[in-house]
Amino acid sequence: MDVMSGPYVIRGSVSLPEAELIWRFSRSSGPGGQHVNTSDSQVELRFDLARTEALPEVWKARALERLASRLVGGVVSVRASEHRSQWRNRETAAVRLAALLAEATAPPPKPRRPTRIPRGINERRLREKKARGQTKKGRTGRDW
């Protein structure tokens, strides 16, 4: 019955290795009835990023650098407690971890090539500024 909805793809053919995921369950905080005191619906999903073999080395280095503030001993953890059922929280946590790793392993964006403003446009802008200044100067009637 507890079948997860398949491999969680990070990007391309790389997905989260099921064997390397560490699950922990605890009681969710917040309001609830009698059932809330007995069900461990909050999910904490941990993934050892530093020791994994599932990610290409380049991706791994990139992820370790970008997620440095979130890592505790090379392990990244994600929590989910939005849903009342543990199974749905497991789904949410796994999807969230896959999305986090996809973002962290993405290649850096291409550097922006600065574009030059055409000379004609710049000259026209300066001419218009000068004309506007003359218009304003003409409004002052200091003839005393």
Side-chain angles (χ1 to χ4, degrees):
M1 184 190 144
D2 239 79
V3 180
M4 298 297 281
S5 70
Y8 295 96
V9 177
I10 295 173
R11 195 169 56 255
S13 61
V14 181
S15 58
L16 280 176
E18 201 65 48
E20 293 183 26
L21 299 179
I22 306 153
W23 298 94
R24 214 174 93 203
F25 309 102
S26 58
R27 298 197 176 118
S28 288
S29 61
Q34 290 91 337
H35 179 65
V36 80
N37 299 325
T38 58
S39 64
D40 291 343
S41 61
Q42 178 173 287
V43 174
E44 185 182 354
L45 175 58
R46 297 162 63 92
F47 179 65
D48 197 339
L49 190 58
R51 292 199 191 95
T52 187
E53 296 296 318
L55 296 177
E57 279 305 313
V58 181
W59 288 20
K60 195 160 118 175
R62 212 180 280 154
L64 285 168
E65 184 185 325
R66 290 186 184 163
L67 297 175
S69 61
R70 281 191 69 147
L71 297 177
V72 178
V75 178
V76 65
S77 71
V78 173
R79 261 205 190 116
S81 61
E82 296 85 66
H83 306 291
R84 286 175 61 179
S85 85
Q86 186 191 95
W87 188 80
R88 284 179 68 192
N89 280 332
R90 284 175 69 135
E91 286 283 305
T92 305
V95 167
R96 208 177 281 166
L97 180 63
L100 180 72
L101 289 174
E103 194 178 310
T105 58
K110 287 185 179 146
R112 182 185 168 276
R113 252 185 56 216
T115 53
R116 287 197 52 202
I117 299 169
R119 204 168 107 208
I121 290 177
N122 208 20
E123 285 175 356
R124 188 180 72 197
R125 182 181 64 87
L126 293 172
R127 260 199 322 275
E128 285 172 0
K129 274 174 72 84
K130 192 64 90 178
R132 187 90 184 122
Q134 290 300 320
T135 305
K136 289 186 172 187
K137 202 172 189 181
R139 287 186 190 149
T140 59
R142 286 194 310 225
D143 55 347
W144 61 85

